[in-house]
Amino acid sequence: MVSKNCSSRKRVASEFPIEHTAHAPSAFLAKTYKILQDKANWPIVSWSENGKSFVIKDVTDFAEKILPSHFKHNNYASFIRQLNMYGFHKSAASDLLNSFSHPFFCRDRPELLCRIQRKKALGGEVYGRSVVKDKRFCQEYTLSVFL
């Protein structure tokens, strides 16, 4: 039996090669990566020079133009909250206030997105969704979807 929660992962899985893990990146991560790959967005949001972080250059334009075209909202604070739930941090080495990084979110490395997991709350819940306890089920299910 397949739950409805898995459908968004199946859609984005075809866009990202899977390496060393058995699941596709979340829709949020895939959309954020796609935004950064689009050169038309670079005046507003782009990768840092070294490709290990990204910079939101114009918060107002990002909220008004980019967020609504990729997400169901234009709330900048909600976007930042999602980044925090996935373990992103403001880049400490950067003088830029809106620079965010995660060790597995890097330019030209979409295969690493699969390693980014949403933070778990106490009690085995992932912010409102229950976590599958049996990892073998997840691997077997995911492999059957992609084969």
Side-chain angles (χ1 to χ4, degrees), residues 108-133:
D108 301 326
R109 298 293 310 273
E111 72 278 5
L112 295 178
L113 295 178
C114 297
R115 297 182 179 189
I116 301 174
Q117 297 294 310
R118 209 167 155 173
K119 289 180 184 177
K120 295 178 184 175
L122 295 176
E125 294 285 319
V126 179
Y127 292 97
R129 290 184 287 176
S130 56
V131 179
V132 176
K133 302 287 184 187

Short mmCIF file of all heavy atoms in Angstrom, two decimals, residues 108-133:
data_model
loop_
_atom_site.label_atom_id
_atom_site.label_comp_id
_atom_site.label_asym_id
_atom_site.label_seq_id
_atom_site.Cartn_x
_atom_site.Cartn_y
_atom_site.Cartn_z
N ASP A 108 25.88 21.95 -8.29
CA ASP A 108 26.28 20.84 -9.17
C ASP A 108 26.39 19.50 -8.44
O ASP A 108 27.05 18.60 -8.94
CB ASP A 108 27.60 21.16 -9.88
CG ASP A 108 27.52 22.41 -10.73
OD1 ASP A 108 26.44 22.67 -11.30
OD2 ASP A 108 28.52 23.15 -10.81
N ARG A 109 25.75 19.35 -7.30
CA ARG A 109 25.75 18.08 -6.57
C ARG A 109 24.33 17.70 -6.13
O ARG A 109 24.07 17.50 -4.95
CB ARG A 109 26.66 18.17 -5.34
CG ARG A 109 28.13 18.44 -5.60
CD ARG A 109 28.85 17.30 -6.33
NE ARG A 109 28.66 15.98 -5.76
CZ ARG A 109 29.41 15.46 -4.79
NH1 ARG A 109 30.37 16.13 -4.26
NH2 ARG A 109 29.16 14.23 -4.36
N PRO A 110 23.39 17.58 -7.06
CA PRO A 110 22.01 17.26 -6.67
C PRO A 110 21.87 15.88 -6.02
O PRO A 110 20.93 15.65 -5.27
CB PRO A 110 21.24 17.33 -7.99
CG PRO A 110 22.26 17.08 -9.04
CD PRO A 110 23.53 17.69 -8.52
N GLU A 111 22.81 14.98 -6.28
CA GLU A 111 22.72 13.65 -5.68
C GLU A 111 22.86 13.69 -4.17
O GLU A 111 22.45 12.76 -3.47
CB GLU A 111 23.77 12.70 -6.30
CG GLU A 111 25.20 12.97 -5.90
CD GLU A 111 25.90 14.09 -6.68
OE1 GLU A 111 25.26 14.75 -7.52
OE2 GLU A 111 27.10 14.27 -6.45
N LEU A 112 23.42 14.77 -3.62
CA LEU A 112 23.58 14.89 -2.17
C LEU A 112 22.28 15.29 -1.46
O LEU A 112 22.16 15.13 -0.25
CB LEU A 112 24.66 15.92 -1.83
CG LEU A 112 26.09 15.59 -2.27
CD1 LEU A 112 27.03 16.73 -1.90
CD2 LEU A 112 26.55 14.29 -1.66
N LEU A 113 21.32 15.81 -2.20
CA LEU A 113 20.05 16.25 -1.59
C LEU A 113 19.36 15.12 -0.84
O LEU A 113 18.69 15.35 0.16
CB LEU A 113 19.11 16.81 -2.66
CG LEU A 113 19.56 18.08 -3.36
CD1 LEU A 113 18.53 18.47 -4.42
CD2 LEU A 113 19.77 19.21 -2.38
N CYS A 114 19.53 13.90 -1.30
CA CYS A 114 18.90 12.74 -0.66
C CYS A 114 19.37 12.55 0.77
O CYS A 114 18.71 11.90 1.56
CB CYS A 114 19.20 11.48 -1.45
SG CYS A 114 18.53 11.52 -3.11
N ARG A 115 20.51 13.09 1.10
CA ARG A 115 21.07 12.92 2.44
C ARG A 115 20.53 13.94 3.44
O ARG A 115 20.79 13.83 4.62
CB ARG A 115 22.58 13.01 2.39
CG ARG A 115 23.19 11.90 1.56
CD ARG A 115 24.67 11.98 1.56
NE ARG A 115 25.22 10.89 0.77
CZ ARG A 115 26.49 10.60 0.73
NH1 ARG A 115 27.35 11.30 1.43
NH2 ARG A 115 26.92 9.62 0.00
N ILE A 116 19.81 14.93 2.97
CA ILE A 116 19.27 15.95 3.86
C ILE A 116 17.94 15.46 4.41
O ILE A 116 17.02 15.15 3.65
CB ILE A 116 19.08 17.30 3.12
CG1 ILE A 116 20.42 17.80 2.57
CG2 ILE A 116 18.47 18.33 4.06
CD1 ILE A 116 20.30 19.05 1.71
N GLN A 117 17.86 15.38 5.71
CA GLN A 117 16.65 14.90 6.38
C GLN A 117 16.04 16.03 7.19
O GLN A 117 16.75 16.84 7.77
CB GLN A 117 16.99 13.74 7.32
CG GLN A 117 17.54 12.53 6.61
CD GLN A 117 16.52 11.89 5.70
OE1 GLN A 117 15.40 11.63 6.12
NE2 GLN A 117 16.88 11.64 4.46
N ARG A 118 14.74 16.03 7.25
CA ARG A 118 14.02 16.99 8.08
C ARG A 118 14.25 16.66 9.55
O ARG A 118 14.30 15.48 9.92
CB ARG A 118 12.53 16.90 7.74
CG ARG A 118 11.80 18.17 7.95
CD ARG A 118 10.46 18.06 7.30
NE ARG A 118 9.57 19.00 7.97
CZ ARG A 118 8.36 19.26 7.59
NH1 ARG A 118 7.85 18.65 6.55
NH2 ARG A 118 7.64 20.13 8.23
N LYS A 119 14.43 17.66 10.38
CA LYS A 119 14.66 17.43 11.80
C LYS A 119 13.47 16.72 12.41
O LYS A 119 12.33 17.01 12.09
CB LYS A 119 14.88 18.75 12.53
CG LYS A 119 16.18 19.42 12.20
CD LYS A 119 16.29 20.72 12.98
CE LYS A 119 17.53 21.48 12.63
NZ LYS A 119 17.60 22.76 13.34
N LYS A 120 13.75 15.80 13.31
CA LYS A 120 12.70 15.04 13.99
C LYS A 120 12.38 15.68 15.33
O LYS A 120 13.27 16.08 16.07
CB LYS A 120 13.14 13.60 14.20
CG LYS A 120 13.33 12.85 12.92
CD LYS A 120 13.81 11.45 13.18
CE LYS A 120 14.09 10.77 11.85
NZ LYS A 120 14.68 9.45 12.03
N ALA A 121 11.11 15.75 15.62
CA ALA A 121 10.67 16.21 16.94
C ALA A 121 10.71 15.03 17.90
O ALA A 121 10.85 13.88 17.49
CB ALA A 121 9.26 16.78 16.85
N LEU A 122 10.55 15.28 19.15
CA LEU A 122 10.51 14.20 20.13
C LEU A 122 9.33 13.28 19.85
O LEU A 122 8.27 13.72 19.43
CB LEU A 122 10.40 14.77 21.54
CG LEU A 122 11.60 15.60 22.00
CD1 LEU A 122 11.30 16.19 23.38
CD2 LEU A 122 12.85 14.77 22.04
N GLY A 123 9.50 11.99 20.07
CA GLY A 123 8.41 11.04 19.89
C GLY A 123 8.36 10.42 18.49
O GLY A 123 7.39 9.79 18.13
N GLY A 124 9.40 10.61 17.69
CA GLY A 124 9.45 9.97 16.38
C GLY A 124 8.64 10.65 15.30
O GLY A 124 8.41 10.09 14.25
N GLU A 125 8.16 11.84 15.55
CA GLU A 125 7.40 12.56 14.55
C GLU A 125 8.31 13.51 13.78
O GLU A 125 9.23 14.08 14.35
CB GLU A 125 6.29 13.39 15.19
CG GLU A 125 5.21 12.57 15.86
CD GLU A 125 4.28 11.91 14.87
OE1 GLU A 125 3.92 12.56 13.88
OE2 GLU A 125 3.92 10.76 15.09
N VAL A 126 8.07 13.66 12.50
CA VAL A 126 8.79 14.63 11.70
C VAL A 126 7.84 15.79 11.45
O VAL A 126 7.15 15.84 10.45
CB VAL A 126 9.27 14.03 10.36
CG1 VAL A 126 9.99 15.08 9.53
CG2 VAL A 126 10.16 12.84 10.59
N TYR A 127 7.77 16.70 12.40
CA TYR A 127 6.92 17.87 12.31
C TYR A 127 5.55 17.57 11.70
O TYR A 127 5.19 18.06 10.65
CB TYR A 127 7.62 18.98 11.55
CG TYR A 127 8.78 19.53 12.31
CD1 TYR A 127 10.06 19.09 12.04
CD2 TYR A 127 8.58 20.46 13.32
CE1 TYR A 127 11.13 19.58 12.78
CE2 TYR A 127 9.65 20.94 14.05
CZ TYR A 127 10.91 20.50 13.77
OH TYR A 127 11.96 20.99 14.49
N GLY A 128 4.80 16.67 12.38
CA GLY A 128 3.43 16.41 11.98
C GLY A 128 3.23 15.16 11.16
O GLY A 128 2.12 14.73 10.97
N ARG A 129 4.29 14.56 10.65
CA ARG A 129 4.15 13.31 9.90
C ARG A 129 4.87 12.21 10.64
O ARG A 129 5.98 12.40 11.11
CB ARG A 129 4.76 13.46 8.50
CG ARG A 129 3.95 14.38 7.61
CD ARG A 129 4.52 14.42 6.25
NE ARG A 129 5.76 15.18 6.30
CZ ARG A 129 6.57 15.35 5.29
NH1 ARG A 129 6.32 14.82 4.14
NH2 ARG A 129 7.67 16.06 5.42
N SER A 130 4.26 11.05 10.72
CA SER A 130 4.92 9.97 11.44
C SER A 130 6.07 9.40 10.60
O SER A 130 6.02 9.40 9.38
CB SER A 130 3.92 8.87 11.80
OG SER A 130 3.29 8.41 10.66
N VAL A 131 7.08 8.94 11.29
CA VAL A 131 8.27 8.41 10.65
C VAL A 131 8.13 6.90 10.53
O VAL A 131 7.70 6.24 11.46
CB VAL A 131 9.52 8.72 11.51
CG1 VAL A 131 10.77 8.15 10.89
CG2 VAL A 131 9.64 10.20 11.73
N VAL A 132 8.51 6.34 9.38
CA VAL A 132 8.51 4.90 9.22
C VAL A 132 9.67 4.35 10.02
O VAL A 132 10.81 4.77 9.84
CB VAL A 132 8.64 4.51 7.73
CG1 VAL A 132 8.75 3.01 7.57
CG2 VAL A 132 7.47 5.06 6.94
N LYS A 133 9.38 3.45 10.93
CA LYS A 133 10.42 2.92 11.82
C LYS A 133 11.29 1.87 11.14
O LYS A 133 12.44 1.72 11.47
CB LYS A 133 9.77 2.30 13.07
CG LYS A 133 8.92 3.27 13.86
CD LYS A 133 9.75 4.26 14.60
CE LYS A 133 8.84 5.14 15.46
NZ LYS A 133 9.53 6.21 16.08
#
